[in-house]
Amino acid sequence: MDIERTEKRICAELERLCKPSRQAHCYSVAETAEYLARRFSVEPWKARLAGLGHDMVKDSDIGFQWELARRSFAYADMAQISAVVNTMESEKSFADKIIHGPAAAVYMRENLGIEELGILRAVSLHSSAAPSMDSLSAILFIADKMEPTRVYAGPLEAEALRQDNLETLLVKSLSLSLHWLRSKGYAIAQSSIDLYNALTMDKTKE
């Protein structure tokens, strides 16, 4: 894959598909994810492309998002992503708000030629999280929740991004996300709650 060419194509699609504030968020997530990838010995280009593309269909029609997400079932090697879609199908009360993750993964594969499954998996999980997330998926989730343009992101979050280990950052980003969703009265993905509980319960046992 020509990484530079692919990045340019993603940026062009962001301009076409997303409102300016969404574009700014995606660029900030990409920079934050790339920084974290370098800190934690993950390939930076994967984190950057995932960050750029993670929200690229969020401003699209919700029916189109579901159509894209369900097309993951057509690809045998996207079984982990179609499993995310299956879970969301069973949680209809809030799934419309987070289906854009799997939808973006399919869009990136079909329209941008990105077949790197690590990138696509990370994109599919960036809103819901999962106990089995790998380092790239965790980095994208953290970057999405703690990037500098977030209204709640301040000096403490910036310092954490520089100093904390990956697991601590994941706990903090989950806590920020859960708190924000509860403050808005939004439903929360069970997988996010399960991951937060697993990580914090492990800490209490130490």
Side-chain angles (χ1 to χ4, degrees):
M1 178 170 59
D2 185 329
I3 297 170
E4 184 176 350
R5 181 171 178 270
T6 300
E7 179 172 339
K8 289 179 179 177
R9 290 182 65 192
I10 294 176
C11 292
E13 288 296 273
L14 285 177
E15 290 185 13
R16 188 175 72 85
L17 295 171
C18 299
K19 58 189 178 183
S21 60
R22 186 88 60 209
Q23 295 174 42
H25 167 67
C26 289
Y27 287 123
S28 186
V29 171
E31 291 176 6
T32 305
E34 183 177 9
Y35 170 78
L36 290 174
R38 294 184 188 281
R39 274 199 66 204
F40 298 115
S41 301
V42 172
E43 291 177 285
W45 67 271
K46 293 182 179 180
R48 183 167 184 82
L49 294 186
L52 287 171
H54 78 287
D55 269 358
M56 69 188 321
V57 299
K58 192 171 183 178
D59 293 331
S60 301
D61 176 78
I62 191 61
F64 177 59
Q65 292 182 41
W66 276 103
E67 178 188 341
L68 278 170
R70 289 175 178 133
R71 289 215 292 266
S72 64
F73 294 100
Y75 302 98
D77 60 353
M78 294 182 78
Q80 290 179 310
I81 295 166
S82 57
V84 175
V85 178
N86 266 334
T87 300
M88 292 182 183
E89 291 269 21
S90 68
E91 298 180 325
K92 283 290 191 179
S93 63
F94 64 93
D96 283 355
K97 295 185 180 297
I98 58 176
I99 195 62
H100 65 277
V106 175
Y107 190 92
M108 291 170 75
R109 178 171 187 153
E110 293 185 345
N111 296 81
L112 298 169
I114 298 173
E115 297 186 354
E116 168 56 51
L117 291 176
I119 294 174
L120 302 182
R121 183 170 57 248
V123 168
S124 74
L125 288 171
H126 82 267
S127 285
S128 60
S132 59
M133 286 198 301
D134 61 6
S135 294
L136 178 59
S137 297
I139 282 170
L140 181 60
F141 185 89
I142 293 162
D144 181 43
K145 304 303 180 288
M146 298 180 70
E147 57 92 358
T149 71
R150 288 288 194 184
V151 293
Y152 51 72
L156 290 177
E157 286 71 31
E159 181 68 14
L161 289 172
R162 291 192 296 269
Q163 300 293 336
D164 289 351
N165 63 39
L166 190 60
E167 184 174 311
T168 301
L169 282 170
L170 189 53
V171 171
K172 287 184 177 179
S173 61
L174 281 162
S175 180
L176 285 169
S177 179
L178 295 176
H179 178 77
W180 185 84
L181 289 169
R182 286 172 180 145
S183 73
K184 298 293 183 181
Y186 294 151
I188 301 170
Q190 187 60 46
S191 56
S192 297
I193 297 171
D194 290 345
L195 177 56
Y196 179 78
N197 286 343
L199 291 171
T200 53
M201 283 174 62
D202 285 347
K203 290 296 183 186
T204 62
K205 292 177 181 177
E206 292 177 359

